[in-house]
Amino acid sequence: MHILQRAGRRLLALTGLLAVLALVFGSPASAAVQAPHSASGKTYVIGTDTTFAPFEFRQGGELVGIDMDLLRAIAEKQGFKVEIQSLGFDAALQALQSDQVDGVIAGMSITDERRQVFDFSEPYFDSGVQMAVAETNTDISSYEDLKGKTVAVKRGSEGEAFAKSIAGKYGFTVKPLDQSATMYDDVKAGNSVAVFDDYPVLAYGIAQNNGLKAVTEKERGSSYGFAVNKGNNPELVQAFNTGLAELKASGEYQQILDKYLAAPETAGKTSFWQLLTESLPALLKGLVLTLFATGLSIVIALILGVGFGFLKVSRRLWLRGIATAYVAIFRGTPLLVQAFFFYFGLPQLTGRPMDVLTAGVLTLSLNAGAYMTEIVRGGVQSVDPGQMEASRSLGLGYFKSMQKVVIPQAVKIMTPSFINQFVITLKDSSLLAVIGFAELTYQGQQIYASNFRTGETLLIVAALYFVVITVLIKLSNILDKRFNK
């Protein structure tokens, strides 16, 4: 009996010692099963596509769709908040890799290649691929009919992967494009004879009068998943998985799918004026942001242009060298490359995220500033050198001569070019739609992505640009005549 008591006391002491050691030094086994911190109470920035109905699209100005409804329902049940950024598929993935967003949900297929870069949730949708052609096309009805032809696919999609896998067998060329609406238009325009797309996206688009018809059965595809950077935000993935399981158990998951897929409501044909009325609020919102970003960029660009412009005409070689390097860099690289660098590349280099408005204004300012530098240089050097000589001969110093004689004449020469640069910068702002900057062109893309009336929507967008630019040119010319008489 005493022997058993002593053995029990020793076992208890040993257990206590092991517990203390585990607390002090940690236990690999316990660490392996330790749950990640809870996502509850946190706010996450989630990137998504802009044009992938019925998974994400605009309806009445609000971003809706299967992905959006699932994400919001899961966030509500798991107690975290989401801030959704509609960027486009490629841009969303770049934003995730540069830590501009915490996760991506955009009808993203789970592949082995992507698993090397991202951590995925449990699959939330099993997809598949179908081929479609224009409604009026009676020549293409099977893969065999594609020999020697070109087909359109969405870049990075399951449709692209499938099309490339059979392209060699059937002898057709694959053309990747950035949006579903864009590739549908490419087929309707006759530039491609067919399109390969995810079957729910294709079915929804056909119901919305996208001008296509499906001609093949659904091919088995991969599954969609919610993604985060590898090793980051494990609690967010866990919360998504838990919330998804709860939605499936309650039946809410199936209700969300049925809302968009069971029987997609066929869109009735509306008139152009109805389209204009429905689209105008969103387009005007985009126009206001366009004018704000352009105005702010022009002010900054003017400051940069004047500063570097005078450096370009400086008598000091090293000052001219600085200005020349600035102009060479920003005039010698495309605006789109600069936008991608400031929004995606710079945060990766610095480790500090940058919001899209800052990146957009920075891009436009530095780009326009380089051109304004040359305008200032050209304006100053266009003034007859005799004017400076005459001023100096009257006893005025160099800086006083520049202020009183050269610059007033140079301003009159430069003003038309400044007005022209303002118009160019306003139009260049449309390129920032590729990084999710919600200006006028971006808003137009959101509209035709859901109604597939691309030509009419772009006509409205172009008309708004034309009216605004015409008014600004008129006002600028009036001010020019008034102050440069």
Side-chain angles (χ1 to χ4, degrees), residues 5-53:
Q5 288 177 342
R6 285 197 299 270
R9 284 195 296 269
R10 288 175 182 173
L11 180 61
L12 184 62
L14 180 59
T15 302
L17 178 61
L18 290 174
V20 171
L21 290 174
L23 287 173
V24 174
F25 297 105
S27 170
S30 63
V33 299
Q34 186 177 6
H37 295 297
S38 172
S40 179
K42 297 182 180 179
T43 299
Y44 296 95
V45 181
I46 308 299
T48 189
D49 205 345
T50 58
T51 57
F52 200 58

Side-chain angles (χ1 to χ4, degrees), residues 188-262:
K188 289 186 289 183
N191 299 321
S192 301
V193 297
V195 59
F196 285 87
D197 204 0
D198 293 33
Y199 83 91
V201 179
L202 194 58
Y204 187 87
I206 291 172
Q208 300 301 308
N209 300 315
N210 67 357
L212 302 184
K213 61 180 179 183
V215 293
T216 63
E217 295 297 320
K218 181 184 74 171
E219 300 282 353
R220 181 175 176 81
S222 60
S223 301
Y224 294 164
F226 172 75
V228 299
N229 275 333
K230 201 163 191 65
N232 290 358
N233 297 312
E235 78 288 350
L236 179 56
V237 175
Q238 184 185 61
F240 187 94
N241 289 336
T242 303
L244 180 63
E246 291 177 1
L247 290 180
K248 288 182 176 181
S250 68
E252 188 176 348
Y253 169 81
Q254 192 60 47
Q255 291 175 7
I256 292 174
L257 293 189
D258 291 344
K259 177 181 176 182
Y260 296 98
L261 297 179

Side-chain angles (χ1 to χ4, degrees), residues 395-426:
L396 293 177
Y398 174 79
F399 291 105
K400 204 66 175 179
S401 298
M402 288 289 289
Q403 177 186 355
K404 297 294 185 179
V405 178
V406 177
I407 293 178
Q409 296 181 65
V411 168
K412 291 185 179 182
I413 298 171
M414 293 185 291
T415 300
S417 297
F418 279 142
I419 295 171
N420 186 56
Q421 185 58 48
F422 182 31
V423 172
I424 291 173
T425 303
L426 178 61

Side-chain angles (χ1 to χ4, degrees), residues 97-386:
Q97 290 177 280
S98 60
D99 293 321
Q100 296 280 56
V101 298
D102 299 305
V104 167
I105 183 168
M108 184 177 178
S109 299
I110 303 173
T111 65
D112 292 336
E113 293 80 9
R114 287 173 178 164
R115 285 185 183 277
Q116 296 177 14
V117 182
F118 306 113
D119 286 332
F120 282 94
S121 67
E122 294 296 324
Y124 66 85
F125 187 83
D126 294 324
S127 184
V129 177
Q130 270 186 302
M131 184 177 80
V133 299
E135 285 180 326
T136 57
N137 190 325
T138 58
D139 300 326
I140 307 294
S141 59
S142 65
Y143 302 145
E144 287 78 7
D145 299 328
L146 297 176
K147 186 173 182 179
K149 304 291 196 305
T150 298
V151 303
V153 296
K154 183 175 180 179
R155 189 180 296 113
S157 69
E158 185 71 18
E160 179 185 24
F162 176 76
K164 287 183 175 179
S165 71
I166 65 171
K169 178 180 179 181
Y170 294 103
F172 60 84
T173 302
V174 178
K175 181 199 290 187
L177 297 170
D178 62 338
Q179 299 176 7
S180 294
T182 303
M183 61 181 182
Y184 297 161
D185 289 331
D186 197 65
V187 172
K188 289 186 289 183
N191 299 321
S192 301
V193 297
V195 59
F196 285 87
D197 204 0
D198 293 33
Y199 83 91
V201 179
L202 194 58
Y204 187 87
I206 291 172
Q208 300 301 308
N209 300 315
N210 67 357
L212 302 184
K213 61 180 179 183
V215 293
T216 63
E217 295 297 320
K218 181 184 74 171
E219 300 282 353
R220 181 175 176 81
S222 60
S223 301
Y224 294 164
F226 172 75
V228 299
N229 275 333
K230 201 163 191 65
N232 290 358
N233 297 312
E235 78 288 350
L236 179 56
V237 175
Q238 184 185 61
F240 187 94
N241 289 336
T242 303
L244 180 63
E246 291 177 1
L247 290 180
K248 288 182 176 181
S250 68
E252 188 176 348
Y253 169 81
Q254 192 60 47
Q255 291 175 7
I256 292 174
L257 293 189
D258 291 344
K259 177 181 176 182
Y260 296 98
L261 297 179
E265 183 180 350
T266 301
K269 185 68 174 178
T270 58
S271 68
F272 176 81
W273 299 111
Q274 287 177 299
L275 173 64
L276 177 61
T277 303
E278 294 170 359
S279 305
L280 207 54
L283 293 177
L284 290 178
K285 179 181 177 182
L287 181 59
V288 169
L289 186 56
T290 296
L291 293 174
F292 172 75
T294 303
L296 183 57
S297 299
I298 284 294
V299 172
I300 298 173
L302 185 60
I303 296 171
L304 293 172
V306 171
F308 283 105
F310 281 110
L311 292 184
K312 285 276 284 187
V313 297
S314 171
R315 290 174 292 185
R316 297 180 184 275
L317 180 61
W318 67 275
L319 292 177
R320 294 201 305 272
I322 292 174
T324 300
Y326 165 66
V327 171
I329 291 171
F330 287 97
R331 286 181 59 180
T333 54
L335 184 69
L336 277 179
V337 173
Q338 296 168 20
F340 278 119
F341 173 77
F342 287 123
Y343 191 57
F344 299 122
L346 196 59
Q348 291 188 32
L349 297 176
T350 63
R352 298 178 63 86
M354 182 179 296
D355 65 85
V356 69
L357 177 60
T358 302
V361 170
L362 192 59
T363 301
L364 293 176
S365 300
L366 291 171
N367 185 270
Y371 287 93
M372 286 190 172
T373 296
E374 287 300 299
I375 292 172
V376 172
R377 178 201 59 77
V380 171
Q381 292 182 341
S382 295
V383 177
D384 190 336

Side-chain angles (χ1 to χ4, degrees), residues 44-80:
Y44 296 95
V45 181
I46 308 299
T48 189
D49 205 345
T50 58
T51 57
F52 200 58
F55 290 91
E56 44 264 340
F57 62 100
R58 295 278 176 183
Q59 192 172 71
E62 183 183 358
L63 196 60
V64 298
I66 295 173
D67 287 352
M68 299 298 97
D69 288 7
L70 284 176
L71 180 62
R72 290 179 179 128
I74 290 171
E76 183 179 357
K77 289 184 178 296
Q78 297 301 305
F80 63 90

